[in-house]
């Protein structure tokens, strides 16, 4: 048994055991409970619903690894989507061309980066708690968006944008391909770059990182900027999926991004965690949602289950750590 566990850890990593066990449990439980669960329709639905949640989770991941948090990711995505929408509206609306879309997307990414830049600068130079800083940014972006749109939405975009939200390539949804590209990029960034080492060092002990010569301020600013850019990518996909933009789209995703990170083995205090287990955890949560829907549960019950699951995950991790200390 020990040899098997060691081989598993060598191939997948010790932090993959929990997400893979949860994935197996969800497949077995809902596969038995509903004959329609293990079907192509269910997995196709998951493939289309997962991307924006997945990309927002990647936006949450890096700040958590530094011991912080970015509570503004959903409203950063909304403002980025609004920026793209306004650009398209200013260039003909439904008749806007690809050039306007590329310009709007670039501006949307810049808005996301600017949001992260402000948070990163405040956190790095004032040492204010990331929860307070990102909460303030969330309130600001929400109020700004409501003011500029008067609480309404913007719709009416060129038809060539629709495939980004609903199209497929060789049977694989385009949004899922974008998510996979973002997962691969994040995995490489957090495993093979100098920024990865600095990020984990800051999450483990920011003072030690500072004394070891790491420019902690620069790293924190860059991390939050990348978080903002990733949130903006999610905003662009949400615009394409819904064919409209409104402040508040995806607001319920915030809880799930944190839950996915913790379920994927990310240390809530920073310094430890990988992208791939988080990706598996995302699949688990989306399958859980689809399974509950097939059983007739409404979205409110699904949200409640996610909240309880977050508490259960924290308790299980505490019990596991306690057991390991006792054994040692």
């Amino acid at each position: 048994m020990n040899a098997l566990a060691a081989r598993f850890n060598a191939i997948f990593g010790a932090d993959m055991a929990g997400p893979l066990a949860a994935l197996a449990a969800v497949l077995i439980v809902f596969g038995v409970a509903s004959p329609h669960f293990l079907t192509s329709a269910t997995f196709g639905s998951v493939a289309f619903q997962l991307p924006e949640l997945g990309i927002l989770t990647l936006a949450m991941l890096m700040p958590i690894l530094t011991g912080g948090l970015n509570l503004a990711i959903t409203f950063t995505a909304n403002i980025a989507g609004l920026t793209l929408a306004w650009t398209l509206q200013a260039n003909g609306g439904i008749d806007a061309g690809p050039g306007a879309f590329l310009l709007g997307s670039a501006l949307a990414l810049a808005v996301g980066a600017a949001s992260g830049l402000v948070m990163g600068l405040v956190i790095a130079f004032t040492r204010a708690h990331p929860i307070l800083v990102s909460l303030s940014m969330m309130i600001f972006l929400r109020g700004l968006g409501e003011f500029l749109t008067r609480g309404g939405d913007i719709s009416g975009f060129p038809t060539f944008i629709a495939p980004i939200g609903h199209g497929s390539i060789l049977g694989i949804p385009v949004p899922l391909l974008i998510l996979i590209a973002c997962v691969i990029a994040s995995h490489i960034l957090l495993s093979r770059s100098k920024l990865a080492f600095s990020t984990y060092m800051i999450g483990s002990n920011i003072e030690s990182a500072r004394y070891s010569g790491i420019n902690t301020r620069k790293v924190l600013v860059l991390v939050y900027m990348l978080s903002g850019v990733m949130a903006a990518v999610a905003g662009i996909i949400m615009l394409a999926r819904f064919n409209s933009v409104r402040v508040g789209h995806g607001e319920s995703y915030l809880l799930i991004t944190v839950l996915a990170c913790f379920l994927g083995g990310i240390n809530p205090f920073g310094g430890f965690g990988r992208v791939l287990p988080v990706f598996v955890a995302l699949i688990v949560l989306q399958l859980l949602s689809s399974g509950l829907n097939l059983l007739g549960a409404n979205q409110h019950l699904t949200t409640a289950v996610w909240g309880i699951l977050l508490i259960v995950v924290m308790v299980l991790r505490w019990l596991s750590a306690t057991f390991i200390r006792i054994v040692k």
Side-chain angles (χ1 to χ4, degrees):
M1 182 64 71
N2 290 337
L4 182 61
R7 184 176 178 82
F8 177 90
N9 292 342
I11 297 174
F12 299 103
D15 53 353
M16 282 291 284
L20 288 177
L23 177 61
V26 167
L27 290 175
I28 293 171
V29 170
F30 286 107
V32 172
S34 173
H36 303 292
F37 182 71
L38 297 177
T39 62
S40 59
T42 298
F43 293 108
S45 174
V46 169
F48 272 106
Q49 294 174 11
L50 184 65
E52 64 260 26
L53 171 60
I55 295 174
L56 285 172
T57 301
L58 295 176
M60 180 66 78
L61 174 60
M62 287 190 69
I64 291 181
L65 289 176
T66 65
L69 206 64
N70 184 358
L71 297 177
I73 54 172
T74 56
F75 288 101
T76 299
N78 292 158
I79 291 294
L82 286 170
T83 301
L84 173 55
W86 288 324
T87 303
L88 292 171
Q89 292 290 323
N91 288 274
I94 196 171
D95 297 319
F101 174 74
L102 292 176
L103 174 61
S105 297
L107 292 175
L109 296 176
V111 166
S115 170
L117 174 63
V118 172
M119 286 186 289
L121 288 172
V122 174
I123 293 169
F125 284 89
T126 71
R127 299 192 183 184
H129 200 289
I131 290 180
L132 296 177
V133 176
S134 60
L135 179 63
S136 300
M137 178 59 71
M138 180 185 76
I139 294 171
F140 166 73
L141 292 176
R142 180 173 189 169
L144 179 64
E146 294 284 4
F147 169 75
L148 294 175
T149 62
R150 292 180 172 82
D153 58 7
I154 300 177
S155 58
F157 306 121
T159 55
F160 66 81
I161 295 178
I164 298 175
H166 301 280
S168 298
I169 297 177
L170 300 177
I172 304 175
V174 172
L176 183 61
L177 291 174
I178 297 173
L179 170 61
I180 292 173
C182 290
V183 168
I184 293 173
S186 298
H187 173 71
I188 294 173
L189 181 65
L190 290 173
S191 61
R192 302 183 182 181
S193 69
K194 182 179 178 181
L195 178 63
F197 174 78
S198 301
T199 298
Y200 287 115
M201 281 288 292
I202 289 174
S204 298
N205 191 316
I206 190 170
E207 293 301 327
S208 296
R210 185 178 293 112
Y211 286 125
S212 66
I214 295 175
N215 188 337
T216 56
R217 288 176 173 174
K218 179 181 178 181
V219 173
L220 284 172
V221 170
L222 186 55
V223 162
Y224 279 88
M225 285 183 66
L226 290 173
S227 175
V229 169
M230 195 66 75
V233 173
I236 294 171
I237 294 178
M238 288 163 68
L239 178 147
R241 275 205 66 203
F242 303 131
N243 196 36
S244 67
V245 184
R246 176 179 59 81
V247 176
H249 269 165
E251 189 174 0
S252 62
Y253 288 155
L254 184 61
L255 164 68
I256 314 167
T257 61
V258 177
L259 174 56
C261 287
F262 293 163
L263 185 61
I266 303 299
N267 188 333
F269 301 104
F272 179 80
R274 295 190 303 140
V275 173
L276 296 182
V278 173
F279 181 57
V280 176
L282 281 166
I283 297 174
V284 170
L285 292 175
Q286 196 60 63
L287 286 171
L288 177 63
S289 175
S290 297
L292 289 173
N293 287 337
L294 285 174
L295 295 179
N298 60 35
Q299 184 60 42
H300 299 297
L301 178 59
T302 301
T303 303
V305 170
W306 279 331
I308 290 296
L309 184 58
L310 178 56
I311 296 174
V312 171
V313 168
M314 289 188 290
V315 171
L316 289 177
R317 292 182 66 169
W318 174 79
L319 290 174
S320 176
T322 302
F323 177 75
I324 290 174
R325 285 197 300 270
I326 293 174
V327 170
K328 290 183 178 181

